[in-house]
Amino acid sequence: MECFAYFPSLIYREERPDWVREVSDKAAPYIDEMRQGCGFPVLQTNSMINDPGLSFLRDAFFHASVGALKEQGYDLDRYEFFVNGMWLQEIYESGGHNFHVHANTQMCGLYFLESSDGGGYPIFKDPRSSKSCVDLFAVVQPNVTNATPEIHFDNIAPGSFFVFNAWLPHAISTNTSKAPTRFLHFTLTHREK
């Protein structure tokens, strides 16, 4: 029989270690402010979206996101896009993020500044909610198949940059390392012209 692969979930990845030092330096004041009086395993800065020193990173996320939407077949002429979220998170030992999506946004991004063996990493869940109601166990194998329920990017390094649709459920695994995992999170939204 002929087979058709419809409704793909696309995740874009690029390695940009050349940005790590500059972004870390610019983010230092936000990190210092975030840590004051906090003892939680997951910390989040205030918005960094308007920081002129980080505009190159915001713009890189914007262009990658809009390019991805165009490649996916969306009619971009009808909309105006803008980055509406940019913040840094630190995840310490035993910290992580549950699966979630971002409502009222189109694209999300992650840029990793620090990571170590056993550190937190991104996991993406199959977005087909009706599949999870009747799913069978997948055969464990190195290749991704239609049965694969989650994709684990456990090979991140400082400079790993991800862009994906905001409707794709994503999480950060539990950090089992003594060292923190540090990354920026972005969101892109739109309005009709």
Side-chain angles (χ1 to χ4, degrees), residues 19 32 40 43-44 57 95 105 109 112 124 138 147 151 157 164 169 191:
W19 294 343
D32 292 342
F40 298 106
L43 301 179
Q44 179 173 312
L57 186 60
T105 59
F112 285 83
F124 297 91
I151 306 299
F164 51 94
R191 59 178 161 247

Side-chain angles (χ1 to χ4, degrees), residues 24 27 36 63 73 85 88 94 104 132 136 141 151 178 182 184-185:
S24 294
Q36 291 176 7
H63 292 297
L88 185 139
S94 79
N104 302 317
S132 65
L136 302 172
Q141 58 181 312
I151 306 299
K178 298 285 186 197
R182 185 181 293 159
L184 279 86
H185 203 315

Side-chain angles (χ1 to χ4, degrees), residues 69-70 72-79 81:
L69 289 169
K70 183 175 183 179
Q72 292 174 16
Y74 289 100
D75 180 3
L76 303 188
D77 293 337
R78 297 180 59 174
Y79 306 102
F81 294 94

Side-chain angles (χ1 to χ4, degrees), residues 1-35:
M1 296 181 80
E2 192 172 358
C3 179
F4 303 93
Y6 292 135
F7 309 115
S9 300
L10 304 175
I11 300 168
Y12 304 85
R13 180 178 181 171
E14 179 180 15
E15 298 305 317
R16 293 305 307 248
D18 52 312
W19 294 343
V20 171
R21 172 167 277 165
E22 183 176 357
V23 173
S24 294
D25 290 347
K26 301 287 185 188
Y30 295 92
I31 294 167
D32 292 342
E33 178 185 20
M34 168 184 71
R35 288 183 181 152

Side-chain angles (χ1 to χ4, degrees), residues 113-135:
L113 297 175
E114 287 186 34
S115 140
S116 61
D117 287 341
Y121 59 82
I123 305 172
F124 297 91
K125 185 185 277 285
D126 187 331
R128 299 171 293 177
S129 58
S130 55
K131 178 179 179 281
S132 65
C133 296
V134 295
D135 213 2

